[in-house]
Amino acid sequence: MATATGSGTTVSSPEAGATAGAGAGVRATTPLLAVEHIDAGYGPFRSLFDVSFTIEEGAATAILGPNGCGKTTTARVVTGLVKPTAGRLLLDGVDITGLPAWRIARAGIIHAPEGRSVFASLTVEENLALTFVAQLGKKESPRALQRAYELFPRLGERRKQQAGTLSGGEQRMLSLARVMVNPPRLLVADELSLGLAPIIVDEVFQTLETVKSTGTSILIVEQHVQRALALADHAVLISKGSVVASGPVEEIRAHVDEIIPSGL
Amino acid sequence: MEDLLVYIVRGFPAGCVYGLVAMAIVLTYKTSGVFNLAFGAQAYVAAAVFYKLGKEHDWPIGVAAALAVLVVSPLLALGLEYFIFRHMRTQPLVVKLVAALGLLTALPEITKLWFGKEIKNLPPSVAPSPDRLYKITDRVTITQDRLVTVIASLLVFAALTALFRYTVLGLRMRAITESPRMVELAGVNANMVSRVAWTLSGFLAGLAGVLFAHTEPQLRPDNYTGLLIVSIAAAAFGLFKSIPRTLAGGMIIAIVGGQMIPGWLGVERTITSYIRPSFPFLMLFAILVFVPGIRQSRETTDPLAGVDPPPPALAASYRDAQLDRLTRKILFPAFIAAVLYLVLFLLPGLWVSRVTEGVCLAVIFLSITVLTGLSGQLSLAQSVFAGAGAFTVGQLSERYGWNPLIGLLFGALIAAAAGALVALPAMRLGGLYLAVATFALALLAQNALYGRDWVGGFAGQVDIPRPKAFGIDFGEDKPFFVLCAVILTLLSYAVIFVRRGSTGRFLFAMRGSETAAAASAINPVKYKLIVFAFSSFIAGVGGALLGMYQGVASTGFEGQSIFSPFYGLVFVVLVVTLGVRTIQGAIVAAMSFVLFPLLLEWLKLPIEFSLILFGFGAITFARHPEGIMEANTRKSVLRAAENKANPRLARKRRLIAWAMMCAIAVPVLVRSATRDAGATELNVGFTVLPIECGTAWEAYTDFDPEGVDAAQRPALHSACKTEARKHFTHTSGIKLWDYGGAWKALFLFLFGFLRFSPSLIDGRRQGGRPSDESGEQVPGPTDREEVSV
């Protein structure tokens, strides 16, 4: 259940979720990730004010909002790239606030960042190996590579090619291949469709569907509102750095037009 | 053919050592984004440990070398990473570069406290019998020492290549080159990888330091600075990435530049003496300017660079309106008036002289404010531009009898022309590469031009008279001080006008993004030319004034003239550390440069401490990359807001400030009232002599003040005074020996006031982050109008 403070559509409060995880012993009610009252920003500039929501195991949550409202910052806070100045992040009820990004990655939150997200000067194979060795260990890495090439034969053909010379779509495939082979607990997909041809965007969203069907939770940050809503179970609407509404997609749909100017 | 073999065998070991240092540079540059100029110093430290243990303590040579290379040097590198560079990962290149430069000057001095200041002759070699010869052909032989160097280096190269190509660690290091953050997102601890890389680079630097030691007759830090610069040329040849090409670069410098060209030209000819030391710098410059692939800037390749915050606005721009008026209209003019009054009517001659020197230096430093602060470019050649001004004035007045004031204008124009010439390569370079290229040019100028008699004079120095104009003889110290102060004021206002006007705005825009600026119809070529010419013009004026102040401009021997490239480094570090975006930063930097030695003298600390504090300055700088002055202003602005909101807190702070001031001033007054004047006078007076005069005098008499018995002191006292005046012609009026303790107290009182007073530049206590409420009361720049309405 996605929840938010100060919103009419709140279904359950994060406090309730946390106590359930700590005391009641009913594991199913502990959210995978709870974001509690987060403030964050860059240097003197604050871009998030008291943001709270939760992500359930296996569900896809979309963060929607106009340009510059703090969507990407939210994604960066979740994966530890930006440290919050206040508030907590709980993964399975465990506080992960302030952990370095690599620890959060090892705990199972994978970030596919906005824009180019591969190492341009490394080859395709090296790009994959870097992740697999870190997450699966040296022994498992070759098998994981094999699996990636089976899933994406195009990458297999270009394994010795520098990743920077791949097309935009292929680069997306490369970053998604890491996720497909070794499904994380939570995939943070930040503007994956940005700058891609519509046909490739379709492909990316199909892949996301597949990732979701393996049981991975997804936090999706997207400007293609309709596509995101089609994929997501829950949605969080952000405006000017604060959550204005959150809840199941069916309830949120009604609010979307108020917050986001039509045409986006 | 055999000649060729001779050249190769002779040059090969040196090439290996260049390659080792170059590798260390590339390694840290690629994995942590720090272009570590401190490697020269690190190599020196390893060599010093090796020398001390192996030669002076008679340890087995292998043990001494192993300790230096495998333990001390890697630990030192790790320490630098941990205490300094780790905190600067996301800072701009200039910031990291300046911290490294600070260490380059500070580390050898710190080492010398333990190693000893005396000359260290004949450093040992790692080889058991270093001078044993091995025959390659009948005519070609190689010593054992060199053979060891070659073998050790080649082994290390092979191991490193394998590490990078075939291991996971190597893969991670290559990935970090591109984006440390993305590596973290893959679940790799980027800090750890970077630490390993630093340790490894420390090992390389240590190895180079120990192997290099035996090739020079003496163990001196400047040898290692030279080694560093030559190695940068080798690293540039490898385009700052390829290991084999880096090695090849080292070989080309050592074999072609060091052996072949001198061999063909003839070793004894004058032209060879110019070309041989200049070759690496020429090569470096040519590579930087003509090879296109080298300039791919690191910042643009990190897709996650947007995570870093943009630089904040100047603190003064969001100061409370009332405080702003108070500072601008009352405190600042009052401060200036007080300084003028002090200098012109109260201070003894020595202090007038030092303050004048500070004003001259401030003019030079102002040029750094323009170039680095305004346009974000980093030039390490400012001391050479200053030299251009000084030498021109000297030559014009000596050869043609020109009035020095006209000569000054002419010298500044020549410096400006030189600056514009340097700007030509700057068109295509930025950041790091511009800094390295300017340093190469500065060294080139020193090697190829300073020795010419139409530049640096016949005996390595040019006399510069002080001007007589408008019926005033500026030969006297006080009129000259006024002249310098007026010029500094005029130039400062010129800089302020440029900064406020459209040129300043265009330069700011270019600092943000040159591409975006060009897209907004700003011609980057034109404005780069303008800013370089303007900045070197100012440096030329400052250099000429400094020359007039000293009465002479010397090319320096062993590079110790104020116009040598080494001081170009020191200047930039000093100004950037204290605050490069404001004019008061430049002035404070200059004043601390000249007054700090006096303070040390008074505290009875050795002069080396100033360079050591320089190193600690680098550490402070890691926390306040905007500069110490600016950090203080920011704190004071924040605290002023706090004080306003909370009068009780303000009262408490004011009490603490007064208590502090009394705590400092009272003991000083007591001490100065009770000190034994007769006993300390000579010592104090002697070492406080201006440097030129002191050295001249020491050379003249071989005089040791400690070793003279009390009865002879008065005679020596007056002899020294006369001698000092003879050598220091322009300071005829100065009273060298009579500055009293009261002035020290006043100085400290002022210092304490500036430091601890809540209303001025306060903010040492409770330096932590302000509470949230007051944080919000300090608005962004746009809110200033609201306050002042």
Side-chain angles (χ1 to χ4, degrees), chain B residues 409-734:
Chain B
L409 197 66
F410 214 79
L413 286 175
I414 286 193
L421 265 181
V422 170
L424 290 179
M427 296 304 140
R428 307 178 55 195
L429 299 171
L432 167 70
Y433 303 110
L434 180 62
V436 172
T438 49
F439 196 51
L441 276 182
L443 288 162
L444 207 58
Q446 189 190 26
N447 279 328
L449 293 180
Y450 274 20
R452 305 277 166 159
D453 44 300
W454 51 268
V455 179
F458 287 100
Q461 59 177 45
V462 191
D463 288 333
I464 304 178
R466 290 192 191 175
K468 283 194 181 85
F470 322 116
I472 307 169
D473 179 9
F474 290 106
E476 290 290 320
D477 261 7
K478 283 174 184 172
F480 186 65
F481 165 76
V482 173
L483 175 72
C484 292
V486 166
I487 291 180
L488 175 65
T489 314
L490 287 178
L491 288 174
S492 298
Y493 274 103
V495 171
I496 290 177
F497 282 128
V498 167
R499 185 162 70 189
R500 284 199 191 145
S502 56
T503 308
R505 239 175 299 130
F506 290 168
L507 290 174
F508 273 132
M510 277 162 56
R511 184 167 70 175
S513 161
E514 219 174 292
T515 321
S520 314
I522 297 170
N523 181 354
V525 176
K526 181 176 155 196
Y527 283 97
K528 268 189 179 176
L529 265 178
I530 288 178
V531 73
F532 260 87
F534 183 46
S535 152
S536 7
F537 180 86
I538 295 176
V541 172
L545 286 179
L546 192 65
M548 291 178 193
Y549 162 77
Q550 293 177 333
V552 68
S554 82
T555 57
F557 97 118
E558 304 292 351
Q560 285 310 305
S561 149
I562 198 100
F563 301 120
S564 69
F566 173 75
Y567 275 97
L569 299 184
V570 174
F571 291 168
V572 167
V573 174
L574 203 61
V575 177
V576 176
T577 318
L578 280 164
V580 75
R581 286 170 70 190
T582 54
I583 286 166
Q584 57 268 42
I587 295 174
V588 170
M591 286 305 163
S592 49
F593 187 79
V594 292
L595 295 182
F596 211 74
L598 290 185
L599 191 69
L600 283 178
E601 165 65 31
W602 180 71
L603 290 170
K604 302 253 184 300
L605 290 171
I607 198 82
E608 286 78 27
F609 261 78
S610 58
L611 284 171
I612 293 169
L613 279 172
F614 218 66
F616 286 117
I619 298 178
T620 323
F621 181 56
R623 301 215 321 272
H624 303 294
E626 71 274 32
I628 293 167
M629 291 290 292
E630 177 63 16
N632 268 347
T633 315
R634 177 153 297 138
K635 268 188 199 159
S636 85
V637 169
L638 286 175
R639 290 188 67 178
E642 277 176 352
N643 288 343
K644 217 170 187 179
N646 188 346
R648 281 184 70 186
L649 182 69
R651 214 166 33 240
K652 199 176 125 200
R653 284 179 172 168
R654 212 163 291 140
L655 261 173
I656 295 177
W658 279 105
M660 281 287 190
M661 282 187 275
C662 293
I664 291 176
V666 169
V668 170
L669 280 172
V670 170
R671 202 184 132 185
S672 67
T674 54
R675 83 197 168 112
D676 177 6
T680 50
E681 225 174 23
L682 186 62
N683 288 351
V684 172
F686 208 83
T687 24
V688 173
L689 278 175
I691 290 171
E692 294 86 344
C693 160
T695 15
W697 169 245
E698 264 167 320
Y700 187 71
T701 55
D702 235 359
F703 171 73
D704 172 22
E706 303 289 341
V708 183
D709 67 66
Q712 285 181 320
R713 282 188 186 178
L716 270 166
H717 187 133
S718 64
C720 174
K721 204 187 245 173
T722 326
E723 192 58 31
R725 292 218 176 111
K726 217 186 283 169
H727 284 279
F728 203 60
T729 44
H730 294 295
T731 44
S732 50
I734 67 173

Side-chain angles (χ1 to χ4, degrees), chain A residues 132-143, chain B residues 166-169:
Chain A
F132 293 153
V133 172
Q135 287 172 350
L136 303 168
K138 225 170 169 177
K139 279 195 186 140
E140 287 295 311
S141 172
R143 210 175 310 158
Chain B
Y166 305 114
T167 67
V168 176
L169 184 66

Side-chain angles (χ1 to χ4, degrees), chain A:
Chain A
M1 291 293 145
T3 68
T5 51
S7 150
T9 51
T10 301
V11 182
S12 71
S13 71
E15 287 78 15
T19 39
V26 191
R27 277 205 66 83
T29 56
T30 310
L32 174 68
L33 182 82
V35 176
E36 297 182 355
H37 309 291
I38 288 287
D39 286 354
Y42 304 91
F45 304 101
R46 256 217 268 170
S47 47
L48 293 184
F49 301 86
D50 195 23
V51 169
S52 299
F53 60 90
T54 57
I55 298 171
E56 298 298 328
E57 188 89 52
T61 305
I63 298 183
L64 306 171
N67 265 339
C69 72
K71 297 189 299 280
T72 293
T73 310
T74 311
R76 285 172 177 171
V77 165
V78 167
T79 50
L81 277 179
V82 171
K83 302 272 176 271
T85 51
R88 296 198 300 168
L89 290 169
L90 302 175
L91 181 67
D92 289 330
V94 180
D95 195 343
I96 57 166
T97 324
L99 284 186
W102 64 275
R103 278 200 189 279
I104 293 180
R106 287 210 179 163
I109 301 182
I110 292 294
H111 189 172
E114 188 181 29
R116 185 171 63 76
S117 60
V118 297
F119 294 99
S121 63
L122 302 186
T123 64
V124 170
E125 186 154 306
E126 284 170 340
N127 262 287
L128 291 170
L130 189 77
T131 315
F132 293 153
V133 172
Q135 287 172 350
L136 303 168
K138 225 170 169 177
K139 279 195 186 140
E140 287 295 311
S141 172
R143 210 175 310 158
L145 276 177
Q146 272 310 311
R147 177 108 179 82
Y149 297 144
E150 280 162 25
L151 288 170
F152 298 96
R154 283 283 280 285
L155 296 181
E157 290 163 26
R158 312 196 160 193
R159 64 171 75 180
K160 293 290 172 208
Q161 194 173 324
Q162 285 201 338
T165 61
L166 299 178
S167 74
E170 286 165 342
Q171 291 189 13
R172 283 282 179 276
M173 289 302 132
L174 180 52
S175 33
L176 286 174
R178 307 181 310 197
V179 180
M180 298 283 285
V181 172
N182 178 33
R185 305 283 310 278
L186 172 66
L187 170 66
V188 179
D190 188 0
E191 304 273 8
L192 279 187
S193 63
L194 199 73
L196 295 181
I199 193 165
I200 311 280
V201 175
D202 287 341
E203 222 174 299
V204 168
F205 272 88
Q206 270 168 22
T207 318
L208 285 180
E209 286 282 357
T210 325
V211 172
K212 189 184 161 192
S213 67
T214 61
T216 297
S217 312
I218 300 180
L219 179 67
I220 177 167
V221 174
E222 194 49 74
Q223 297 222 4
H224 289 266
V225 176
Q226 292 315 320
R227 281 176 185 277
L229 287 177
L231 178 76
D233 306 307
H234 299 283
V236 180
L237 284 189
I238 296 186
S239 173
K240 295 181 181 166
S242 302
V243 175
V244 289
S246 72
V249 166
E250 306 80 56
E251 292 175 32
I252 291 300
R253 241 180 245 280
H255 292 276
V256 168
D257 292 338
E258 300 164 19
I259 307 294
I260 302 171
S262 57
L264 264 178

